[in-house]
Amino acid sequence: MNVAATDIAAQFAAARQALARGAAAEAMPALRAIAAAAADAQMLCDCAELFLAAGCDEDATALAARIAQAHPATFGWGWHFAGHMRAKGDLDASDRVLGALRDAAGSAPSARMRAELGLALGLPAVYSSTAELAAVRARFEERIVEFVEKYTPAELARIGADAEDVSWVNFLLAYHGLDDRSLQTRFGDWLAMALASLLQDCVAHPLPARPRPRLALVSSSFHRCTVGFYFAAWVDYLARQSWEVILVHVGTRRDPLTERLAALAHGEVTLAGGIADNARTLRDLAADLIVYPDLGMDRHVLSLAALRLGSRQACAWGHPVTTGLPTIDAFLSCGSMEPPDAQQHYRERLVLLPGLGTRYLSPLLPDTATRAELGLPSARPLYLVPQALFKLHPEHDTVLAEILRRDPVALFVLFELRAPSGALRVRERLLRDLSGVTDQPEAHLHWFPECSRPDYLRINRVCDVMVDSLHWSGGNTTLDALHCGLPVVTCPGRFMRGRQSAAMLRALDCAELIVETPAQLAERAVQIVHDRSRRSSLVAKIAGNLPRLIQSDAPLHALDLALRELMNGSFP
């Protein structure tokens, strides 16, 4: 199809309408012709996004790489596109676009550096196999060394880099299930060094005399999410002690929980600017102590933590892996969830709190729904696998395959989550791995799109058992299941992030739901599903013991004491 320049916009609109009707085949010839004929950068970017919407990732990637080469001013769009492809699990596509961004003749040196940062540290959200995961991690280990050695403070100054250029977060690294301390420390040292050299005025102010110490709690997640549910009680409790609690939001997202927490705190600050401006605002608070509940999830927050903006600084287990930062004095974690050698996994001084480490903000359980109302079969055993797909390590597939071997009518209930999602790759991987047990693997997978929390809890309530994920166990997902009376079977991992469910179950006197191997995980799940008397006994025990796990103030008392010791420099 030949598309004249004057007709491009009309043809583009027609292609978009065809996609809206689900007629991708009808739209593709027009999109390819537009991609070949259009000269406008924005039209080309829009065309690449329609290729993605049509499921034509190869066309989209080829066009994105061409845009990067021909239109260097579209760097931000290309950077976002590369991240989108990694979220779908396609590291090759991401590298192709980042490579074009790096090599574009008109790119600024700082832009080339940022492209190299993505090439060195970018990780896919999901993997097709354990072999792919191992290969990607080996590449990461090699490239991080090369990158940090190349981009010294002198080199960053020479190329005119700024704080936004060097910001990054290794969120997905922890889902490999391996010890990340050395890699995180290497990156943490570089990030702290880079930001200190670029923002030399961003250092902690001398502390003024105050009637009570100022505590700044800093996060981009003070809303209805896992972090909000876990740490709301910290704001509530500490504000009622002799602290001046300042709630610091990074970003502008707000909801009713945000408003509730803001009313509890003594002050509130929103950091909605660039990293440099945000850092100066946080510095000017002159906090005696800054606590970051969830470092490692948001690059803007991690960049603040990489600077010494408070007299003392600590983080917590909202993302339960060491930050690797030299600027964080302590890591607050849950003692019952940590292994005996836990301190070896952290650069920070490890501070252990009892129980859950908090008083959990329990969900309001919705009215029940029937399986039929939820689109689920009434007679088949339902095994809930609720974790976000990037938490499902390829080794977890063997657990589901063994469950299916033991229970040939098993149905696994999973969630796709919002786009971009690795659902396609995980689905393909599961179909491949389950095909060794059944000739109809697709009949054993029920995928829900992302849904509201009430609907998610309704789904929990009709399932028979939750199968915990290997290496990274449930935290909020486990607590949701327990609130719904759903037994959780777990196999603890080597690190805290894989031991959360086990600690909860021990506290509930449900240790029989904890096993030692993946094979036993499958066996125990099937046993619980098909022994109705045993399952009923476990459900009653969970209901009876849950309040003592989630409602205790002991973790909050310990938190208060630990923060005072840290602030006063008396922490061992």
Side-chain angles (χ1 to χ4, degrees):
M1 178 185 296
N2 294 321
V3 182
T6 55
D7 295 333
I8 287 177
Q11 291 291 338
F12 183 86
R16 185 163 50 192
Q17 291 171 2
L19 287 174
R21 298 195 308 272
E26 179 183 332
M28 291 310 298
L31 286 177
R32 288 181 176 135
I34 293 168
D40 178 71
Q42 185 59 56
M43 177 61 73
L44 290 170
C45 292
D46 291 344
C47 187
E49 291 176 4
L50 284 193
F51 276 133
L52 286 178
C56 296
D57 288 2
E58 174 55 34
D59 289 273
T61 301
L63 179 54
R66 181 158 59 86
I67 294 169
Q69 285 283 357
H71 302 278
T74 64
F75 182 94
W77 178 87
W79 175 265
H80 177 78
F81 182 96
H84 181 102
M85 299 311 292
R86 290 196 302 275
K88 296 180 72 171
D90 194 341
L91 186 60
D92 289 341
S94 175
D95 283 357
R96 186 173 172 185
V97 175
L98 288 172
L101 291 171
R102 176 198 59 198
D103 298 337
S107 292
S110 60
R112 288 198 291 273
M113 183 279 292
R114 186 136 183 87
E116 289 185 27
L117 176 61
L119 286 165
L121 304 185
L123 294 170
V126 297
Y127 297 88
S128 62
S129 65
T130 53
E132 183 193 20
L133 188 155
V136 168
R137 188 177 180 92
R139 189 186 86 157
F140 182 98
E141 292 173 348
E142 293 175 0
R143 292 188 176 184
I144 192 173
V145 173
E146 297 169 355
F147 181 83
V148 301
E149 289 180 351
K150 178 176 179 179
Y151 287 104
T152 62
E155 179 64 8
L156 293 173
R158 187 190 71 80
I159 65 176
D162 62 23
E164 303 295 335
D165 294 326
V166 302
S167 66
W168 183 265
V169 63
N170 292 323
F171 172 71
L172 292 169
L173 184 66
Y175 297 96
H176 290 175
L178 299 169
D179 190 348
D180 300 322
R181 177 172 175 169
S182 63
L183 292 173
Q184 288 286 80
T185 297
R186 185 179 294 275
F187 174 72
D189 280 339
W190 177 81
L191 182 63
M193 169 211 69
L195 288 168
S197 68
L198 296 171
L199 302 175
Q200 296 182 23
D201 63 326
C202 287
V203 295
H205 283 323
L207 296 177
R210 295 192 183 100
R212 54 184 175 176
R214 176 171 291 176
L215 170 63
L217 292 168
V218 183
S219 176
S220 59
S221 299
F222 288 131
H223 50 257
R224 293 187 60 80
C225 65
T226 297
V227 172
F229 301 148
Y230 268 119
F231 298 105
W234 283 22
V235 180
D236 183 10
Y237 183 83
L238 294 172
R240 290 185 283 107
Q241 310 309 309
S242 53
W243 294 94
E244 180 192 9
V245 174
I246 308 297
L247 201 65
V248 180
H249 310 273
V250 182
T252 57
R253 179 173 178 180
R254 301 181 73 90
D255 66 13
L257 180 57
T258 312
E259 303 305 331
R260 172 182 165 185
L261 297 180
L264 292 170
H266 302 110
E268 182 184 16
V269 174
T270 297
L271 304 179
I275 291 170
D277 289 340
N278 289 348
R280 294 183 182 104
T281 300
L282 182 55
R283 175 205 60 191
D284 290 346
L285 280 178
D288 296 87
L289 176 61
I290 298 177
V291 175
Y292 298 91
D294 56 317
L295 278 182
M297 300 174 67
D298 184 315
R299 67 181 180 89
H300 300 92
V301 182
L302 189 71
S303 294
L304 296 174
L307 294 159
R308 176 63 72 172
L309 302 175
S311 179
R312 294 282 191 276
Q313 303 191 143
C315 68
W317 73 96
H319 184 58
V321 62
T322 182
T323 68
L325 294 173
T327 51
I328 298 298
D329 303 305
F331 193 109
L332 298 156
S333 186
C334 304
S336 61
M337 298 179 185
E338 292 284 1
D341 63 343
Q343 182 59 71
Q344 298 177 26
H345 307 152
Y346 296 89
R347 180 176 192 174
E348 309 85 355
R349 170 70 68 177
L350 189 60
V351 181
L352 299 179
L353 303 176
L356 284 181
T358 189
R359 188 178 60 237
Y360 181 69
L361 184 60
S362 295
L364 178 64
L365 293 181
D367 295 337
T368 58
T370 66
R371 287 188 173 189
E373 289 171 335
L374 296 170
L376 292 165
S378 60
R380 294 177 67 180
L382 301 183
Y383 295 81
L384 183 68
V385 186
Q387 299 290 10
L389 298 181
F390 53 79
K391 292 185 179 180
L392 295 183
H393 194 284
E395 291 177 2
H396 189 71
D397 297 0
T398 62
V399 175
L400 303 189
E402 179 61 18
I403 288 174
L404 188 55
R405 189 186 70 79
R406 292 171 176 271
D407 187 353
V409 294
L411 183 63
F412 302 111
V413 177
L414 305 102
F415 295 84
E416 293 185 355
L417 301 185
R418 70 171 69 90
S421 166
L424 178 61
R425 286 186 173 237
V426 173
R427 183 184 288 112
E428 290 174 346
R429 192 183 79 202
L430 285 170
L431 292 176
R432 179 194 68 207
D433 292 343
L434 295 181
S435 65
V437 183
T438 176
D439 58 358
Q440 292 185 310
E442 66 280 356
H444 298 275
L445 302 174
H446 185 101
W447 293 90
F448 279 102
E450 187 170 33
C451 59
S452 66
R453 195 176 190 208
D455 281 345
Y456 171 75
L457 295 172
R458 290 184 179 98
I459 294 166
N460 271 254
R461 296 180 80 169
V462 301
C463 289
D464 294 297
V465 72
M466 172 179 148
V467 183
D468 206 8
S469 44
L470 298 178
H471 302 299
W472 192 298
S473 75
N476 192 62
T477 51
T478 295
L479 287 164
D480 277 345
L482 296 173
H483 277 83
C484 292
L486 182 64
V488 178
V489 181
T490 190
C491 177
R494 179 183 171 193
F495 308 104
M496 184 273 194
R497 53 192 181 269
R499 303 166 65 88
Q500 299 172 80
S501 295
M504 296 175 197
L505 293 171
R506 289 192 187 96
L508 298 177
D509 295 332
C510 292
E512 66 184 282
L513 294 172
I514 307 168
V515 299
E516 296 181 357
T517 68
Q520 291 172 349
L521 183 63
E523 178 183 19
R524 190 61 49 85
V526 174
Q527 289 172 351
I528 298 302
V529 168
H530 291 282
D531 187 337
R532 306 312 292 180
S533 175
R534 184 180 185 184
R535 185 183 183 282
S536 296
S537 176
L538 284 164
V539 170
K541 188 179 292 187
I542 290 168
N545 294 338
L546 187 59
R548 75 186 188 199
L549 173 66
I550 62 173
Q551 295 177 4
S552 172
D553 280 344
L556 301 174
H557 297 318
L559 169 69
D560 184 28
L561 177 61
L563 293 182
R564 293 183 189 283
E565 291 178 341
L566 177 61
M567 182 195 66
N568 294 327
S570 58
F571 191 80

mmCIF file with all atom_site columns, all heavy atoms in Angstrom, residues 444-458:
data_model
loop_
_atom_site.group_PDB
_atom_site.id
_atom_site.type_symbol
_atom_site.label_atom_id
_atom_site.label_alt_id
_atom_site.label_comp_id
_atom_site.label_asym_id
_atom_site.label_entity_id
_atom_site.label_seq_id
_atom_site.pdbx_PDB_ins_code
_atom_site.Cartn_x
_atom_site.Cartn_y
_atom_site.Cartn_z
_atom_site.occupancy
_atom_site.B_iso_or_equiv
_atom_site.pdbx_formal_charge
_atom_site.auth_seq_id
_atom_site.auth_comp_id
_atom_site.auth_asym_id
_atom_site.auth_atom_id
_atom_site.pdbx_PDB_model_num
ATOM 1   N N   . HIS A 1 444 ? -5.490  -26.482 32.215 1.00 0.00 ? 444 HIS A N   1
ATOM 2   C CA  . HIS A 1 444 ? -5.164  -26.455 33.645 1.00 0.00 ? 444 HIS A CA  1
ATOM 3   C C   . HIS A 1 444 ? -4.700  -25.081 34.112 1.00 0.00 ? 444 HIS A C   1
ATOM 4   O O   . HIS A 1 444 ? -4.223  -24.943 35.240 1.00 0.00 ? 444 HIS A O   1
ATOM 5   C CB  . HIS A 1 444 ? -4.096  -27.513 33.946 1.00 0.00 ? 444 HIS A CB  1
ATOM 6   C CG  . HIS A 1 444 ? -4.559  -28.904 33.656 1.00 0.00 ? 444 HIS A CG  1
ATOM 7   N ND1 . HIS A 1 444 ? -5.270  -29.660 34.558 1.00 0.00 ? 444 HIS A ND1 1
ATOM 8   C CD2 . HIS A 1 444 ? -4.446  -29.658 32.528 1.00 0.00 ? 444 HIS A CD2 1
ATOM 9   C CE1 . HIS A 1 444 ? -5.570  -30.835 34.009 1.00 0.00 ? 444 HIS A CE1 1
ATOM 10  N NE2 . HIS A 1 444 ? -5.079  -30.858 32.782 1.00 0.00 ? 444 HIS A NE2 1
ATOM 11  N N   . LEU A 1 445 ? -4.837  -24.073 33.264 1.00 0.00 ? 445 LEU A N   1
ATOM 12  C CA  . LEU A 1 445 ? -4.451  -22.712 33.605 1.00 0.00 ? 445 LEU A CA  1
ATOM 13  C C   . LEU A 1 445 ? -5.645  -21.785 33.438 1.00 0.00 ? 445 LEU A C   1
ATOM 14  O O   . LEU A 1 445 ? -6.244  -21.716 32.362 1.00 0.00 ? 445 LEU A O   1
ATOM 15  C CB  . LEU A 1 445 ? -3.311  -22.226 32.705 1.00 0.00 ? 445 LEU A CB  1
ATOM 16  C CG  . LEU A 1 445 ? -2.023  -23.051 32.706 1.00 0.00 ? 445 LEU A CG  1
ATOM 17  C CD1 . LEU A 1 445 ? -1.057  -22.515 31.657 1.00 0.00 ? 445 LEU A CD1 1
ATOM 18  C CD2 . LEU A 1 445 ? -1.373  -23.044 34.084 1.00 0.00 ? 445 LEU A CD2 1
ATOM 19  N N   . HIS A 1 446 ? -6.003  -21.076 34.494 1.00 0.00 ? 446 HIS A N   1
ATOM 20  C CA  . HIS A 1 446 ? -7.067  -20.079 34.411 1.00 0.00 ? 446 HIS A CA  1
ATOM 21  C C   . HIS A 1 446 ? -6.444  -18.731 34.739 1.00 0.00 ? 446 HIS A C   1
ATOM 22  O O   . HIS A 1 446 ? -5.984  -18.490 35.860 1.00 0.00 ? 446 HIS A O   1
ATOM 23  C CB  . HIS A 1 446 ? -8.201  -20.380 35.389 1.00 0.00 ? 446 HIS A CB  1
ATOM 24  C CG  . HIS A 1 446 ? -9.366  -19.447 35.238 1.00 0.00 ? 446 HIS A CG  1
ATOM 25  N ND1 . HIS A 1 446 ? -10.525 -19.805 34.568 1.00 0.00 ? 446 HIS A ND1 1
ATOM 26  C CD2 . HIS A 1 446 ? -9.552  -18.158 35.650 1.00 0.00 ? 446 HIS A CD2 1
ATOM 27  C CE1 . HIS A 1 446 ? -11.366 -18.782 34.585 1.00 0.00 ? 446 HIS A CE1 1
ATOM 28  N NE2 . HIS A 1 446 ? -10.788 -17.781 35.233 1.00 0.00 ? 446 HIS A NE2 1
ATOM 29  N N   . TRP A 1 447 ? -6.432  -17.833 33.759 1.00 0.00 ? 447 TRP A N   1
ATOM 30  C CA  . TRP A 1 447 ? -5.801  -16.532 33.910 1.00 0.00 ? 447 TRP A CA  1
ATOM 31  C C   . TRP A 1 447 ? -6.850  -15.457 34.152 1.00 0.00 ? 447 TRP A C   1
ATOM 32  O O   . TRP A 1 447 ? -7.778  -15.290 33.368 1.00 0.00 ? 447 TRP A O   1
ATOM 33  C CB  . TRP A 1 447 ? -5.006  -16.174 32.655 1.00 0.00 ? 447 TRP A CB  1
ATOM 34  C CG  . TRP A 1 447 ? -3.815  -17.041 32.436 1.00 0.00 ? 447 TRP A CG  1
ATOM 35  C CD1 . TRP A 1 447 ? -3.760  -18.207 31.747 1.00 0.00 ? 447 TRP A CD1 1
ATOM 36  C CD2 . TRP A 1 447 ? -2.486  -16.803 32.915 1.00 0.00 ? 447 TRP A CD2 1
ATOM 37  N NE1 . TRP A 1 447 ? -2.486  -18.716 31.760 1.00 0.00 ? 447 TRP A NE1 1
ATOM 38  C CE2 . TRP A 1 447 ? -1.685  -17.873 32.472 1.00 0.00 ? 447 TRP A CE2 1
ATOM 39  C CE3 . TRP A 1 447 ? -1.896  -15.789 33.667 1.00 0.00 ? 447 TRP A CE3 1
ATOM 40  C CZ2 . TRP A 1 447 ? -0.320  -17.957 32.758 1.00 0.00 ? 447 TRP A CZ2 1
ATOM 41  C CZ3 . TRP A 1 447 ? -0.549  -15.865 33.948 1.00 0.00 ? 447 TRP A CZ3 1
ATOM 42  C CH2 . TRP A 1 447 ? 0.225   -16.936 33.498 1.00 0.00 ? 447 TRP A CH2 1
ATOM 43  N N   . PHE A 1 448 ? -6.684  -14.718 35.243 1.00 0.00 ? 448 PHE A N   1
ATOM 44  C CA  . PHE A 1 448 ? -7.508  -13.543 35.496 1.00 0.00 ? 448 PHE A CA  1
ATOM 45  C C   . PHE A 1 448 ? -6.742  -12.291 35.078 1.00 0.00 ? 448 PHE A C   1
ATOM 46  O O   . PHE A 1 448 ? -5.537  -12.197 35.317 1.00 0.00 ? 448 PHE A O   1
ATOM 47  C CB  . PHE A 1 448 ? -7.849  -13.424 36.986 1.00 0.00 ? 448 PHE A CB  1
ATOM 48  C CG  . PHE A 1 448 ? -8.989  -14.280 37.436 1.00 0.00 ? 448 PHE A CG  1
ATOM 49  C CD1 . PHE A 1 448 ? -8.757  -15.457 38.123 1.00 0.00 ? 448 PHE A CD1 1
ATOM 50  C CD2 . PHE A 1 448 ? -10.302 -13.910 37.167 1.00 0.00 ? 448 PHE A CD2 1
ATOM 51  C CE1 . PHE A 1 448 ? -9.803  -16.253 38.555 1.00 0.00 ? 448 PHE A CE1 1
ATOM 52  C CE2 . PHE A 1 448 ? -11.364 -14.695 37.594 1.00 0.00 ? 448 PHE A CE2 1
ATOM 53  C CZ  . PHE A 1 448 ? -11.116 -15.876 38.280 1.00 0.00 ? 448 PHE A CZ  1
ATOM 54  N N   . PRO A 1 449 ? -7.403  -11.333 34.473 1.00 0.00 ? 449 PRO A N   1
ATOM 55  C CA  . PRO A 1 449 ? -6.766  -10.020 34.276 1.00 0.00 ? 449 PRO A CA  1
ATOM 56  C C   . PRO A 1 449 ? -6.660  -9.320  35.620 1.00 0.00 ? 449 PRO A C   1
ATOM 57  O O   . PRO A 1 449 ? -7.251  -9.759  36.612 1.00 0.00 ? 449 PRO A O   1
ATOM 58  C CB  . PRO A 1 449 ? -7.732  -9.301  33.336 1.00 0.00 ? 449 PRO A CB  1
ATOM 59  C CG  . PRO A 1 449 ? -9.064  -9.914  33.646 1.00 0.00 ? 449 PRO A CG  1
ATOM 60  C CD  . PRO A 1 449 ? -8.789  -11.361 33.976 1.00 0.00 ? 449 PRO A CD  1
ATOM 61  N N   . GLU A 1 450 ? -5.915  -8.232  35.646 1.00 0.00 ? 450 GLU A N   1
ATOM 62  C CA  . GLU A 1 450 ? -5.805  -7.472  36.889 1.00 0.00 ? 450 GLU A CA  1
ATOM 63  C C   . GLU A 1 450 ? -7.198  -7.039  37.332 1.00 0.00 ? 450 GLU A C   1
ATOM 64  O O   . GLU A 1 450 ? -8.026  -6.612  36.519 1.00 0.00 ? 450 GLU A O   1
ATOM 65  C CB  . GLU A 1 450 ? -4.919  -6.251  36.683 1.00 0.00 ? 450 GLU A CB  1
ATOM 66  C CG  . GLU A 1 450 ? -4.620  -5.517  37.968 1.00 0.00 ? 450 GLU A CG  1
ATOM 67  C CD  . GLU A 1 450 ? -3.555  -4.457  37.793 1.00 0.00 ? 450 GLU A CD  1
ATOM 68  O OE1 . GLU A 1 450 ? -3.494  -3.855  36.708 1.00 0.00 ? 450 GLU A OE1 1
ATOM 69  O OE2 . GLU A 1 450 ? -2.785  -4.227  38.734 1.00 0.00 ? 450 GLU A OE2 1
ATOM 70  N N   . CYS A 1 451 ? -7.473  -7.163  38.621 1.00 0.00 ? 451 CYS A N   1
ATOM 71  C CA  . CYS A 1 451 ? -8.814  -6.875  39.129 1.00 0.00 ? 451 CYS A CA  1
ATOM 72  C C   . CYS A 1 451 ? -8.707  -6.042  40.399 1.00 0.00 ? 451 CYS A C   1
ATOM 73  O O   . CYS A 1 451 ? -7.619  -5.803  40.930 1.00 0.00 ? 451 CYS A O   1
ATOM 74  C CB  . CYS A 1 451 ? -9.572  -8.171  39.398 1.00 0.00 ? 451 CYS A CB  1
ATOM 75  S SG  . CYS A 1 451 ? -8.768  -9.273  40.596 1.00 0.00 ? 451 CYS A SG  1
ATOM 76  N N   . SER A 1 452 ? -9.840  -5.600  40.912 1.00 0.00 ? 452 SER A N   1
ATOM 77  C CA  . SER A 1 452 ? -9.873  -4.837  42.150 1.00 0.00 ? 452 SER A CA  1
ATOM 78  C C   . SER A 1 452 ? -9.491  -5.744  43.320 1.00 0.00 ? 452 SER A C   1
ATOM 79  O O   . SER A 1 452 ? -9.571  -6.973  43.238 1.00 0.00 ? 452 SER A O   1
ATOM 80  C CB  . SER A 1 452 ? -11.273 -4.268  42.381 1.00 0.00 ? 452 SER A CB  1
ATOM 81  O OG  . SER A 1 452 ? -12.193 -5.333  42.610 1.00 0.00 ? 452 SER A OG  1
ATOM 82  N N   . ARG A 1 453 ? -9.088  -5.123  44.429 1.00 0.00 ? 453 ARG A N   1
ATOM 83  C CA  . ARG A 1 453 ? -8.741  -5.951  45.581 1.00 0.00 ? 453 ARG A CA  1
ATOM 84  C C   . ARG A 1 453 ? -9.947  -6.722  46.116 1.00 0.00 ? 453 ARG A C   1
ATOM 85  O O   . ARG A 1 453 ? -9.803  -7.895  46.482 1.00 0.00 ? 453 ARG A O   1
ATOM 86  C CB  . ARG A 1 453 ? -8.118  -5.097  46.697 1.00 0.00 ? 453 ARG A CB  1
ATOM 87  C CG  . ARG A 1 453 ? -7.411  -5.975  47.739 1.00 0.00 ? 453 ARG A CG  1
ATOM 88  C CD  . ARG A 1 453 ? -6.706  -5.186  48.789 1.00 0.00 ? 453 ARG A CD  1
ATOM 89  N NE  . ARG A 1 453 ? -5.861  -6.045  49.604 1.00 0.00 ? 453 ARG A NE  1
ATOM 90  C CZ  . ARG A 1 453 ? -5.544  -5.788  50.858 1.00 0.00 ? 453 ARG A CZ  1
ATOM 91  N NH1 . ARG A 1 453 ? -5.986  -4.691  51.444 1.00 0.00 ? 453 ARG A NH1 1
ATOM 92  N NH2 . ARG A 1 453 ? -4.768  -6.607  51.544 1.00 0.00 ? 453 ARG A NH2 1
ATOM 93  N N   . PRO A 1 454 ? -11.154 -6.141  46.185 1.00 0.00 ? 454 PRO A N   1
ATOM 94  C CA  . PRO A 1 454 ? -12.294 -6.953  46.618 1.00 0.00 ? 454 PRO A CA  1
ATOM 95  C C   . PRO A 1 454 ? -12.507 -8.185  45.743 1.00 0.00 ? 454 PRO A C   1
ATOM 96  O O   . PRO A 1 454 ? -12.755 -9.284  46.260 1.00 0.00 ? 454 PRO A O   1
ATOM 97  C CB  . PRO A 1 454 ? -13.471 -5.980  46.535 1.00 0.00 ? 454 PRO A CB  1
ATOM 98  C CG  . PRO A 1 454 ? -12.849 -4.642  46.775 1.00 0.00 ? 454 PRO A CG  1
ATOM 99  C CD  . PRO A 1 454 ? -11.523 -4.710  46.075 1.00 0.00 ? 454 PRO A CD  1
ATOM 100 N N   . ASP A 1 455 ? -12.402 -8.035  44.430 1.00 0.00 ? 455 ASP A N   1
ATOM 101 C CA  . ASP A 1 455 ? -12.569 -9.202  43.560 1.00 0.00 ? 455 ASP A CA  1
ATOM 102 C C   . ASP A 1 455 ? -11.431 -10.199 43.758 1.00 0.00 ? 455 ASP A C   1
ATOM 103 O O   . ASP A 1 455 ? -11.637 -11.414 43.716 1.00 0.00 ? 455 ASP A O   1
ATOM 104 C CB  . ASP A 1 455 ? -12.639 -8.771  42.099 1.00 0.00 ? 455 ASP A CB  1
ATOM 105 C CG  . ASP A 1 455 ? -14.002 -8.222  41.720 1.00 0.00 ? 455 ASP A CG  1
ATOM 106 O OD1 . ASP A 1 455 ? -14.963 -8.435  42.489 1.00 0.00 ? 455 ASP A OD1 1
ATOM 107 O OD2 . ASP A 1 455 ? -14.111 -7.563  40.669 1.00 0.00 ? 455 ASP A OD2 1
ATOM 108 N N   . TYR A 1 456 ? -10.212 -9.684  43.963 1.00 0.00 ? 456 TYR A N   1
ATOM 109 C CA  . TYR A 1 456 ? -9.080  -10.572 44.218 1.00 0.00 ? 456 TYR A CA  1
ATOM 110 C C   . TYR A 1 456 ? -9.320  -11.384 45.487 1.00 0.00 ? 456 TYR A C   1
ATOM 111 O O   . TYR A 1 456 ? -9.071  -12.595 45.525 1.00 0.00 ? 456 TYR A O   1
ATOM 112 C CB  . TYR A 1 456 ? -7.801  -9.742  44.348 1.00 0.00 ? 456 TYR A CB  1
ATOM 113 C CG  . TYR A 1 456 ? -6.620  -10.535 44.830 1.00 0.00 ? 456 TYR A CG  1
ATOM 114 C CD1 . TYR A 1 456 ? -5.967  -11.425 43.975 1.00 0.00 ? 456 TYR A CD1 1
ATOM 115 C CD2 . TYR A 1 456 ? -6.164  -10.433 46.137 1.00 0.00 ? 456 TYR A CD2 1
ATOM 116 C CE1 . TYR A 1 456 ? -4.890  -12.181 44.423 1.00 0.00 ? 456 TYR A CE1 1
ATOM 117 C CE2 . TYR A 1 456 ? -5.102  -11.173 46.591 1.00 0.00 ? 456 TYR A CE2 1
ATOM 118 C CZ  . TYR A 1 456 ? -4.463  -12.045 45.721 1.00 0.00 ? 456 TYR A CZ  1
ATOM 119 O OH  . TYR A 1 456 ? -3.404  -12.797 46.169 1.00 0.00 ? 456 TYR A OH  1
ATOM 120 N N   . LEU A 1 457 ? -9.838  -10.752 46.534 1.00 0.00 ? 457 LEU A N   1
ATOM 121 C CA  . LEU A 1 457 ? -10.123 -11.473 47.771 1.00 0.00 ? 457 LEU A CA  1
ATOM 122 C C   . LEU A 1 457 ? -11.253 -12.480 47.569 1.00 0.00 ? 457 LEU A C   1
ATOM 123 O O   . LEU A 1 457 ? -11.234 -13.577 48.159 1.00 0.00 ? 457 LEU A O   1
ATOM 124 C CB  . LEU A 1 457 ? -10.474 -10.478 48.876 1.00 0.00 ? 457 LEU A CB  1
ATOM 125 C CG  . LEU A 1 457 ? -9.330  -9.540  49.303 1.00 0.00 ? 457 LEU A CG  1
ATOM 126 C CD1 . LEU A 1 457 ? -9.842  -8.471  50.252 1.00 0.00 ? 457 LEU A CD1 1
ATOM 127 C CD2 . LEU A 1 457 ? -8.192  -10.322 49.948 1.00 0.00 ? 457 LEU A CD2 1
ATOM 128 N N   . ARG A 1 458 ? -12.228 -12.145 46.745 1.00 0.00 ? 458 ARG A N   1
ATOM 129 C CA  . ARG A 1 458 ? -13.301 -13.113 46.447 1.00 0.00 ? 458 ARG A CA  1
ATOM 130 C C   . ARG A 1 458 ? -12.728 -14.357 45.772 1.00 0.00 ? 458 ARG A C   1
ATOM 131 O O   . ARG A 1 458 ? -13.163 -15.487 46.046 1.00 0.00 ? 458 ARG A O   1
ATOM 132 C CB  . ARG A 1 458 ? -14.360 -12.461 45.551 1.00 0.00 ? 458 ARG A CB  1
ATOM 133 C CG  . ARG A 1 458 ? -15.191 -11.389 46.236 1.00 0.00 ? 458 ARG A CG  1
ATOM 134 C CD  . ARG A 1 458 ? -16.290 -10.854 45.332 1.00 0.00 ? 458 ARG A CD  1
ATOM 135 N NE  . ARG A 1 458 ? -17.093 -9.838  46.010 1.00 0.00 ? 458 ARG A NE  1
ATOM 136 C CZ  . ARG A 1 458 ? -16.924 -8.540  45.868 1.00 0.00 ? 458 ARG A CZ  1
ATOM 137 N NH1 . ARG A 1 458 ? -15.990 -8.069  45.019 1.00 0.00 ? 458 ARG A NH1 1
ATOM 138 N NH2 . ARG A 1 458 ? -17.672 -7.684  46.538 1.00 0.00 ? 458 ARG A NH2 1
#
